[in-house]
Amino acid sequence: MTIRTVLRMGEPLLLTVAKAVTEFDTPELHALIQDMEDTMADMHGAGLAAPQIGVSLRVVIFGQKENDNTHNPRYPDADKVPYTVLINPKLSVIGQAQEEGWEGCLSVPGLRGLVPRYLHLHYTGFDQYGHPIERTVSGFHARVVQHECDHLDGLLYPMKMTDLTTFGYTDVIFPDQTLP
Ligand code: NI
């Protein structure tokens, strides 16, 4: 169990396009994913991208394991998203419909902002064993995938905001809730 340090906005690696994974089911890849899982759990993240722990590879994890029935305290109203390891993802938007929603990021601690995201999404990729993944998703699941995959292209959610007046400190915007 290794909880890694999450890089914060300002770190050049977070602005770098990550490289594709070329070998699956290796001890290095399994160790990376284990560290990402431990780090995400410790920080109650809804997702985590490898560049956030300093590894510039196209690997993201997101969602909650089946036996975890708790609500994520960072996103108490969110629909449950199945725990997923997604490598070398490819996203294609379905339709042009977008929806605004509150986002935070472990690399931008203490802040929240409203971010428009595509509502419907088809994505493909691989798990850590090289098995293909293909899904069509909507809503919060689609939002999380877009947020995490943006990290692989060096994009953080404030760069996707269209109204910066909604950008602020979590405890100021949501004074009655304790969102980590
Ligand atoms: Ni993030």
Side-chain angles (χ1 to χ4, degrees):
M1 167 128 186
T2 310
I3 294 162
R4 304 264 292 258
T5 302
V6 174
L7 303 182
R8 290 176 303 146
M9 184 167 65
E11 190 73 50
L13 192 85
L14 291 174
L15 304 176
T16 304
V17 177
K19 290 183 210 67
V21 169
T22 54
E23 271 192 285
F24 294 88
D25 201 14
T26 63
E28 294 77 15
L29 186 58
H30 292 305
L32 168 65
I33 287 158
Q34 186 63 55
D35 285 2
M36 288 173 67
E37 212 176 286
D38 294 342
T39 305
M40 181 171 86
D42 180 64
M43 299 182 75
H44 304 291
L48 190 72
Q52 292 183 275
I53 60 164
V55 177
S56 196
L57 287 173
R58 301 187 82 77
V59 178
V60 301
I61 64 171
F62 54 84
Q64 274 181 289
K65 300 211 163 161
E66 246 172 68
N67 56 7
D68 178 3
N69 284 314
T70 59
H71 275 287
N72 187 314
R74 284 174 60 84
Y75 297 92
D77 303 323
D79 307 331
K80 203 166 157 181
V81 177
Y83 177 73
T84 305
V85 173
L86 184 64
I87 299 173
N88 298 347
K90 288 205 168 33
L91 277 51
S92 52
V93 165
I94 301 170
Q96 289 303 303
Q98 295 198 7
E99 183 178 65
E100 298 229 304
W102 290 101
E103 291 187 20
C105 179
L106 299 178
S107 294
V108 190
L111 293 156
R112 288 289 191 284
L114 271 181
V115 186
R117 297 285 186 188
Y118 290 104
L119 202 46
H120 306 290
L121 186 70
H122 178 79
Y123 67 87
T124 62
F126 300 89
D127 70 10
Q128 61 270 52
Y129 303 98
H131 301 136
I133 294 172
E134 178 174 1
R135 284 185 188 145
T136 300
V137 297
S138 297
F140 186 69
H141 189 152
R143 173 173 299 279
V144 169
V145 173
Q146 289 168 82
H147 176 119
E148 295 313 325
C149 293
D150 269 354
H151 278 295
L152 306 180
D153 292 326
L155 297 169
L156 298 168
Y157 81 82
M159 301 174 190
K160 291 293 186 84
M161 292 180 64
T162 50
D163 180 2
L164 283 170
T165 66
T166 68
F167 192 36
Y169 290 96
T170 311
D171 58 336
V172 177
I173 298 173
F174 302 105
D176 301 327
Q177 296 180 52
T178 46
L179 303 175

